[in-house]
Amino acid sequence: MTEPNVPPAMAHEETDLSPSATEDMATQTPPNSKNPAKGSRVELSQWLDEKFDWSWFTATQSTGGFAIALAECPKQFHGLQTIGTIVFVANLIVFLSFNALMIIRFSTNPGRLRRSLTVAPECFFFGSYWLTIAGIIMCMQRYGAPHVGDWLLVVVRILFWTYAAVTFVSTSLHFVVVFEYTTVSAIDMSPAWFFLIFNSMLTGTVAANIAPAQPPDQRWPIIIAGVAYQGLGWLVSMLILSWFFGRMMEKGWPEPSMTPSLFITIGTAGYTIVALIGLAQAIPNNHGYFEKHPMAPEILRIVATWTGIFMWLFNFWLFSIAFLITVAGSIRRQEGRWVFPMSFNNGWWAMIFPNVGFTLGTIYIGEELESNAIKWVGVGMILVLAVFWMMDVFLMCRVMARAVFQKSRVGP
């Protein structure tokens, strides 16, 4: 991707991956930062304080989602599962590395932890940390369970209930804190607001992923929890979506570099389709409630499938809006020349994670309708995801390399 010569108002230095850098021109030195001497490197603690935040975990949540998409591909070929396993393991290593950097960041500046959870826009990205964990649990089920003993199923089950409890408490408390201590207006909202509830909503998707392999007596509570959490996430997401459309009506498109973050809206319906159909598929026959209602599993599976179809076009509509705005904002005519007024930031990972839900929802509908054509559409969507995932990985690595080897030294 070439970097055209555009005015400073339209292009930013790609040295800060945080979306706030694009929104707030945060490439300038913050007032509380230290001023290193010329020719010296910026200290790690200063770099972490200025450049590293919760938004970096959008990379790990998206990579985990991509690994799940590879595992769910309806047209498998020899080696695809191996590729998925490599992506999963690499993502786990990156996640642990990010955790280590976060520990260093907060240990050197303890007050930064409180600010990271209360100051916009970083506070909204706290949910991406938990979404990464949701992806890890699902990848453990997909890539680990077939190769190890039943003990992993117990571990996954414990992790699921822990995740469900922690994310519910975290989401509730975080909303309360944001309501009181975060200075932001609804009209100035960003798509990152969806992360406030997505971590709880993904509990339903995790439940759909792990439930089929669990014993019937353990599967039933997981299914109930999955439906309940998905309902919570869907309803709150619809409230946020209404605010988001109000913001778009009032203020228009986001700044060009932020338009890829519009794809976050797609996750609302996409993962709901996945959860409803996946949980319906996992219902144990002749067990508990369904022993008294033997026709219920089939009825609920039909209802889930057609509810998914009902929601699919709405999801595609949201995708179309995000796609058209991103394309239209990516190229502009400036002083008689066509320019590319966009620079990479972590908001671009929204092109991956929400679209994973859209892709999986399409595949699940195709499987239920036994439609080979829809399954091939799902395969095509996975291929597109692969292209954009590799693009994001390349751009992120390039920005990080420039930050370390070119921009970390101050002065001549």
Side-chain angles (χ1 to χ4, degrees), residues 42 82 106 136 162 202 210 242 248 283 319 327 354 401:
V42 175
T82 301
F106 295 141
I136 291 173
T162 303
L202 262 289
I210 71 169
S242 65
M248 295 284 283
I283 292 176
F319 172 87
V327 172

Side-chain angles (χ1 to χ4, degrees), residues 39-104:
S40 64
R41 287 194 177 277
V42 175
E43 294 181 358
L44 176 62
S45 60
Q46 180 183 344
W47 184 87
L48 292 174
D49 191 54
E50 297 175 6
K51 307 295 185 182
F52 190 77
D53 58 29
W54 293 115
S55 72
W56 284 57
F57 287 95
T58 57
T60 51
Q61 77 174 40
S62 297
T63 301
F66 177 60
I68 296 167
L70 294 179
E72 296 280 0
C73 183
K75 305 296 180 181
Q76 294 282 323
F77 62 84
H78 181 69
L80 182 59
Q81 292 296 311
T82 301
I83 295 174
T85 302
I86 293 173
V87 173
F88 165 50
V89 173
N91 188 56
L92 188 59
I93 294 173
V94 173
F95 175 68
L96 294 175
S97 300
F98 283 1
N99 274 273
L101 291 176
M102 273 294 182
I103 292 173
I104 296 174

Side-chain angles (χ1 to χ4, degrees), residues 108-122:
T108 56
N109 188 355
R112 189 63 184 175
L113 175 59
R114 178 184 59 81
R115 293 195 297 272
S116 74
L117 299 176
T118 58
V119 177
E122 181 182 0

